[in-house]
Amino acid sequence: MKNNFIIFLILISLTLSFSSCNTLKYVSDNELLLTKNAVFVNTKKNVNTEITDYIVQRPNQLVLGIPFPLYFYNIGNKNFETDFEKWKLENPNSYKFTTNIFSEKQTRGVRDFKYRTHQWFLNNGEPPVIFDAKKAIQTVENLTQHYYNEGYFNVNVEYEEHKIKNKKVAINYLINTDKPYTLDTISTAIESAVLDSIYNLYKEKSELKTGKQFKLSFFIDEQNRITNLFRNSGIYRFNKNAITFEADSTKTNYSSDITLIINDSIASVPFKIQKIKDVNIYTDYAYNTKDEPIKIKVEYNGYSFLAIDNLKYNPKLLLNSVFIQPNDIYKDETRELTRKNLRRLNNFRSVDIKYEETEDDMLNASIFLTPLKKYSIGFNTELTHSNIRQLGVSGKLSFLNRNIFKGAEILKFSVQGSFLDSKDAADQSSLLNAWEIGSDISLEIPRFFIPFKLKSIIPKNMAPSTTLTLGTSLQKNIGLDKQKFTGIIDYTWESSKNKKHSFQIVNAQFIKNLNVSSYFNIYKSEFNEISSIASTYFNENIETTDVINFIDTNIDSNFESSNPTEYRIIQNIKNRYNIITEDVLVPISAYTFTYNNSENYKDNDFSFFRARLVSSGNLTTLLSNERDENGTKTLLKTPIAQYIRTDLEYKKFWNVSLENVIAFRSFLGIAIPYKNSSTIPFSRSYFIGGPNDLRAWKIYDLGPGSTKSGLEYNVGNLKFISSLEYRFKVINSIKGALFIDAGNIWDINNSSVVSSDAKFNGFSSLKDIAVGTGFGIRYDLSFILLRLDVGFKTYEPYLDSGKKWFQHVNFTNNVYNFGISYPF
């Protein structure tokens, strides 16, 4: 009986699912389901998405051409009554069936569960959009107003219904624009001599030009331009309400004369240029102490620094973020620049700037700064997952000291640790068999910390800053157990709103491997290769600790002449062994340029470009006189990595429609070793695959080139990847994505032991670009986005010719990627 009940529930679920496919389930006989809107401009179908924004009523949302949210809604039953007794009478068979299995109380619970289930579908789905003629009329008015604002004063807009069978309708909006009006004579009527003189200095930048189309947006832009011009020329009292336009559209030649009118006063107070008299900076302002007397007042360079308690900020250093100057004319831009830079210090909870007019028509500026707490302590934990680290539990304790040297500097100290389930760990029986621990200390200075001045090249309005960082970390039972020491001196500045620069004069990292002897326990595929060769050609059974000795003893020129393929395999493995186990010092200098025209985090239509140039080891090798037995220059007996690396990344986002976005990402990176180095350090090499990369392959699984090595960690020194993703809303906070990724890594060293399939050989190597496709489900919690992407290997360059496409596009060979936030 229990199994029959389960089958019954399954049948009920299937019935509900099939009923959802009826889009007309909740459309009555006297109603029409709106299925399509179309706009025709002068008999041609509109392709401008801006025009569709004026349509008031839209059809149900489509997900890949299917009204999925409507189907979801239709699963629910709006007529499912909440009253249990009524339900018993109307559903006697269901009631009898369930009470034979359960008690009446349990039956009531089943009924309530079904009711809540129906309500959940109704609340999370999208009800059918029933055509409303009033909304169509409103759309006609909206479109008419839009074209009128564009200068089509004789525009005519109508709509027509196209009824489709089964109570459906499509609406066409027909627009006949006629000819647009243009701007003819443009004259001015500026009553104030001061305003007139300022206007005439910059009138060539006017948005209004004879011959241009008559557009409302041009007048709004001109109004804003004039307002900004006056308010940045000392006219503190000016606002845009003093600007009006008169248009003569009585001409019969589709042209209009324009008169710009600017009043000479506001509320009978004439406009005039006003200067800043005093600048008062309140460094410890708080609302609950605002009425207490000021005890501290310090004058510096014409500024007054005031405090109720102690003056905790150095006036000279704090002025690096203040752009309002005594005896200068009033400017909106200096006010906003001051507010922006003071907030950037991350020392103040609030920044408020106020102006007060004096009796002599000057202005007193007051800057009210409410400091954040000087000390703060934070603790956070997180769970991590990857194909390398199956499970991780990490925690971080951080301490922060603001304004440590009275110049708004921020000192940060943190200690972090992790317990991990690593597949590389020797102890495979324990769940969390590996650990990491580390600490970092950094000092953020809101100016350049250098012994010479650069103000003429990088002025303070570019927000120059310096970050000094020291860090160390220790890993145990992860790979070869590494210890790292890092030191960074980083200078950053912003040359414009969209352009940022970073120059790391020093970014030095020392990497020491603590468990080299376990290499072939970790890289088992490499050990298996050598073990097979040893048993086949030398009749030896070797242990993981004997591998290097076996290679040095047996793999010589004689073996190469008789077994060139096996010789190359072993030399390649030994070369990787040397790279990965080598202790290395990586002293780099790097410059990074970033362009980002995104307005805010909600902007879905913007471009992003980043270029990074890295040089490692040049100065260090010049200063060092130490060499090891191979002639490689060292520092403190550690080889110095010498290479040059360039990374280029471009991203573009198009907002197709409401919450539908097309995202494109492309990355190209190349690293070339020279002089003191023949290879790139393993930690600075490129890899491919994983949740934010080529999602059809696990991290480190692909490449280099068309090789199929089966090694645990595949790296190269040339990388290309490009991704195209269509992101769309499914229902409420659930979002979907379709994506295609293409890319690979290659080796560009001239090493003879690297196979030709792994090397980049010009355009012919483009056939090695792997392609992965897939889909994703994302759950947007507003403060965080959880992501699951499923990738399929679509083109596999390492397969035999003619069998590279679509060989493993199935759920047996797919890759699941869990992530937080978008992949790019």
Side-chain angles (χ1 to χ4, degrees):
M1 181 63 71
K2 182 178 180 181
N3 290 336
N4 290 337
F5 182 70
I6 293 173
I7 294 173
F8 171 75
L9 291 179
I10 293 174
L11 290 175
I12 290 294
S13 299
L14 289 174
T15 302
L16 289 171
S17 298
F18 284 124
S19 70
S20 72
C21 295
N22 178 13
T23 57
L24 303 175
K25 179 178 179 180
Y26 292 120
V27 180
S28 62
D29 292 336
N30 61 341
E31 294 177 330
L32 295 173
L33 178 69
L34 179 61
T35 60
K36 185 178 181 182
N37 285 323
V39 178
F40 294 86
V41 181
N42 298 326
T43 71
K44 293 183 179 180
K45 191 170 183 178
N46 169 68
V47 294
N48 185 357
T49 56
E50 180 188 356
I51 300 302
T52 59
D53 291 340
Y54 294 97
I55 298 177
V56 175
Q57 190 176 36
R58 302 170 186 269
N60 286 100
Q61 178 188 340
L62 299 178
V63 178
L64 303 177
I66 301 172
F68 181 77
L70 175 58
Y71 290 164
F72 202 76
Y73 180 87
N74 286 342
I75 294 175
N77 183 358
K78 292 199 302 183
N79 301 317
F80 194 91
E81 296 292 340
T82 59
D83 182 73
F84 181 67
E85 297 300 326
K86 185 175 182 180
W87 176 77
K88 285 198 303 183
L89 294 174
E90 294 182 352
N91 300 274
N93 293 331
S94 297
Y95 172 73
K96 183 178 180 180
F97 178 81
T98 52
T99 52
N100 286 336
I101 303 173
F102 305 111
S103 67
E104 181 164 333
K105 180 178 179 181
Q106 291 173 319
T107 303
R108 184 189 298 271
V110 171
R111 196 226 65 86
D112 291 343
F113 172 76
K114 288 181 63 179
Y115 170 74
R116 289 193 298 269
T117 301
H118 283 295
Q119 290 300 309
W120 188 85
F121 281 111
L122 293 170
N123 292 333
N124 289 277
E126 184 181 34
V129 177
I130 306 302
F131 171 66
D132 186 341
K134 292 181 180 179
K135 293 181 179 179
I137 294 172
Q138 182 62 54
T139 298
V140 168
E141 294 175 357
N142 290 350
L143 291 170
T144 301
Q145 185 62 51
H146 166 72
Y147 279 96
Y148 194 87
N149 292 341
E150 293 293 295
Y152 297 94
F153 297 146
N154 300 321
V155 65
N156 180 64
V157 182
E158 299 175 343
Y159 80 91
E160 60 182 19
E161 301 177 22
H162 286 274
K163 295 182 180 178
I164 309 171
K165 62 180 180 178
N166 297 332
K167 299 186 291 185
K168 297 178 181 178
V169 66
I171 304 299
N172 290 340
Y173 293 96
L174 310 177
I175 304 171
N176 182 10
T177 63
D178 198 14
K179 290 174 59 178
Y181 275 64
T182 58
L183 305 180
D184 198 352
T185 303
I186 300 172
S187 57
T188 61
I190 305 175
E191 301 176 13
S192 168
V194 173
L195 298 188
D196 187 58
S197 63
I198 296 173
Y199 173 84
N200 285 314
L201 287 174
Y202 300 94
K203 67 179 180 179
E204 71 279 358
K205 295 183 179 180
S206 174
E207 299 289 340
L208 306 179
K209 307 283 186 183
T210 299
K212 289 182 71 172
Q213 187 170 328
F214 191 113
K215 292 186 178 183
L216 177 63
S217 60
F218 292 157
F219 292 88
I220 295 174
D221 291 343
E222 178 67 0
Q223 187 183 47
N224 291 333
R225 184 191 74 85
I226 294 173
T227 301
N228 290 334
L229 172 63
F230 290 155
R231 289 191 62 83
N232 286 302
S233 299
I235 314 299
Y236 168 73
R237 301 185 185 120
F238 192 85
N239 65 66
K240 64 177 61 180
N241 293 329
I243 303 173
T244 57
F245 299 94
E246 286 186 358
D248 179 9
S249 57
T250 60
K251 292 186 174 183
T252 58
N253 62 346
Y254 291 92
S255 66
S256 178
D257 294 334
I258 305 298
T259 302
L260 166 65
I261 302 172
I262 303 178
N263 298 334
D264 66 344
S265 63
I266 182 169
S268 301
V269 180
F271 295 125
K272 63 180 298 183
I273 295 175
Q274 293 177 276
K275 288 187 174 183
I276 308 298
K277 185 176 183 180
D278 297 324
V279 180
N280 300 311
I281 303 175
Y282 297 83
T283 60
D284 59 355
Y285 176 81
Y287 181 79
N288 58 348
T289 59
K290 62 184 178 65
D291 295 325
E292 293 186 15
I294 299 296
K295 299 177 183 177
I296 306 296
K297 183 176 182 180
V298 175
E299 301 288 339
Y300 180 82
N301 276 6
Y303 294 85
S304 297
F305 292 82
L306 305 102
I308 295 175
D309 191 4
N310 296 319
L311 187 60
K312 299 177 181 179
Y313 291 88
N314 184 317
K316 178 182 177 180
L317 299 179
L318 191 60
L319 285 181
N320 285 321
S321 299
V322 177
F323 297 84
I324 302 169
Q325 298 181 14
N327 299 316
D328 194 8
I329 63 172
Y330 170 84
K331 294 180 181 179
D332 269 358
E333 58 189 21
T334 57
R335 180 180 191 171
E336 292 306 311
L337 196 58
T338 299
R339 180 183 285 112
K340 176 183 176 182
N341 280 269
L342 287 171
R343 286 175 175 171
R344 186 185 279 117
L345 297 178
N346 293 320
N347 267 246
F348 305 106
R349 181 181 294 108
S350 67
V351 177
D352 191 18
I353 303 175
K354 296 181 179 179
Y355 290 86
E356 183 181 358
E357 295 189 63
T358 64
E359 294 181 354
D360 53 359
D361 269 341
M362 296 186 74
L363 298 170
N364 285 336
S366 296
I367 302 174
F368 299 93
L369 305 177
T370 303
L372 290 164
K373 291 182 179 179
K374 181 174 178 59
Y375 302 105
S376 63
I377 297 176
F379 179 74
N380 60 66
T381 61
E382 65 177 358
L383 293 175
T384 59
H385 168 79
S386 72
N387 62 306
I388 302 298
R389 300 170 183 181
Q390 304 301 312
L391 176 66
V393 181
S394 63
K396 181 177 182 179
L397 178 65
S398 58
F399 169 80
L400 189 146
N401 184 344
R402 294 183 177 87
N403 193 36
I404 184 170
F405 299 119
K406 295 191 174 183
E409 306 87 357
I410 298 178
L411 178 70
K412 296 180 180 178
F413 175 74
S414 64
V415 177
Q416 54 272 350
S418 303
F419 290 93
L420 309 165
D421 177 27
S422 173
K423 71 178 187 180
D424 296 330
D427 181 11
Q428 296 288 349
S429 60
S430 302
L431 175 61
L432 299 176
N433 49 28
W435 56 267
E436 292 183 56
I437 189 170
S439 65
D440 297 282
I441 185 169
S442 68
L443 178 64
E444 297 177 8
I445 306 171
R447 54 196 173 274
F448 279 165
F449 186 65
I450 47 178
F452 49 88
K453 294 184 179 181
L454 285 176
K455 290 185 178 179
S456 59
I457 303 174
I458 304 175
K460 69 178 185 177
N461 63 337
M462 291 188 181
S465 66
T466 305
T467 302
L468 310 176
T469 305
L470 289 174
T472 184
S473 66
L474 176 66
Q475 300 176 349
K476 291 293 289 182
N477 289 331
I478 304 172
L480 301 180
D481 297 349
K482 296 182 183 293
Q483 186 170 17
K484 298 179 183 179
F485 296 93
T486 303
I488 302 172
I489 302 176
D490 187 11
Y491 299 102
T492 62
W493 68 97
E494 299 178 7
S495 57
S496 70
K497 178 183 177 182
N498 303 322
K499 298 175 183 177
K500 296 182 179 180
H501 307 260
S502 169
F503 177 51
Q504 293 182 338
I505 190 171
V506 174
N507 183 339
Q509 187 176 66
F510 171 71
I511 303 171
K512 182 177 179 62
N513 296 290
L514 305 176
N515 191 17
V516 175
S517 61
S518 67
Y519 179 90
F520 288 103
N521 288 323
I522 298 166
Y523 297 90
K524 293 180 180 178
S525 59
E526 299 187 13
F527 171 73
N528 293 336
E529 288 268 14
I530 297 179
S531 179
S532 176
I533 292 173
S535 61
T536 302
Y537 296 96
F538 299 93
N539 197 27
E540 289 188 26
N541 293 319
I542 61 174
E543 300 294 332
T544 56
T545 54
D546 302 329
V547 172
I548 297 302
N549 183 58
F550 167 78
I551 295 174
D552 293 339
T553 303
N554 299 285
I555 308 304
D556 52 19
S557 58
N558 293 328
F559 183 77
E560 180 183 11
S561 60
S562 58
N563 303 281
T565 301
E566 288 74 13
Y567 176 85
R568 186 165 54 250
I569 290 173
I570 291 181
Q571 289 299 329
N572 189 19
I573 291 174
K574 184 180 180 182
N575 187 44
R576 280 171 50 82
Y577 169 86
N578 291 333
I579 294 172
I580 295 175
T581 62
E582 180 182 48
D583 297 338
V584 64
L585 175 66
V586 188
I588 73 169
S589 296
Y591 168 74
T592 304
F593 168 77
T594 304
Y595 172 83
N596 186 349
N597 64 358
S598 172
E599 294 295 330
N600 53 59
Y601 73 96
K602 293 183 178 181
D603 191 357
N604 289 323
D605 202 326
F606 67 94
S607 299
F608 173 93
F609 173 75
R610 179 168 56 207
R612 180 174 171 84
L613 178 63
V614 176
S615 175
S616 174
N618 290 331
L619 180 60
T620 314
T621 53
L622 284 175
L623 298 176
S624 175
N625 293 319
E626 298 179 12
R627 290 184 184 270
D628 61 14
E629 63 274 11
N630 298 318
T632 302
K633 282 196 171 185
T634 62
L635 183 65
L636 301 177
K637 297 182 180 182
T638 303
I640 302 168
Q642 191 169 15
Y643 64 89
I644 188 168
R645 170 172 166 163
T646 300
D647 297 337
L648 302 172
E649 183 179 21
Y650 175 74
K651 293 187 285 189
K652 175 66 178 175
F653 300 84
W654 295 272
N655 191 14
V656 179
S657 59
L658 184 64
E659 296 194 67
N660 285 5
V661 177
I662 293 177
F664 171 78
R665 179 267 308 269
S666 191
F667 174 89
L668 176 65
I670 182 171
I672 303 174
Y674 62 98
K675 288 188 178 180
N676 202 54
S677 299
S678 58
T679 58
I680 304 298
F682 180 77
S683 63
R684 302 303 172 97
S685 298
Y686 297 108
F687 63 86
I688 199 163
N692 299 320
D693 209 273
L694 192 60
R695 284 165 279 183
W697 279 264
K698 293 181 180 179
I699 188 172
Y700 289 107
D701 264 8
L702 180 65
S706 59
T707 59
K708 182 64 173 174
S709 65
L711 301 177
E712 284 83 357
Y713 295 89
N714 297 290
V715 295
N717 50 355
L718 172 64
K719 177 178 179 178
F720 169 77
I721 185 170
S722 193
S723 300
L724 185 66
E725 183 169 285
Y726 174 55
R727 301 168 182 170
F728 52 89
K729 178 181 177 180
V730 177
I731 190 166
N732 286 353
S733 298
I734 301 174
K735 302 187 179 176
L738 298 175
F739 62 82
I740 178 170
D741 302 325
N744 208 334
I745 55 173
W746 292 267
D747 196 303
I748 58 173
N749 294 324
N750 293 320
S751 174
S752 59
V753 298
V754 177
S755 67
S756 60
D757 290 341
K759 294 182 179 180
F760 185 79
N761 300 304
F763 287 107
S764 62
S765 293
L766 297 181
K767 68 180 184 301
D768 299 337
I769 294 177
V771 178
T773 55
F775 63 89
I777 297 294
R778 290 87 190 270
Y779 189 68
D780 191 352
L781 298 172
S782 71
F783 64 93
I784 193 173
L785 183 135
L786 305 178
R787 171 168 56 92
L788 168 63
D789 287 337
V790 183
F792 302 94
K793 297 176 177 64
T794 307
Y795 176 83
E796 301 172 75
Y798 43 77
L799 297 180
D800 294 337
S801 180
K803 297 182 179 180
K804 298 178 184 292
W805 285 98
F806 306 109
Q807 296 300 305
H808 299 106
V809 181
N810 51 59
F811 283 97
T812 303
N813 298 280
N814 67 300
V815 174
Y816 294 100
N817 295 284
F818 296 94
I820 295 175
S821 190
Y822 289 107
F824 59 90

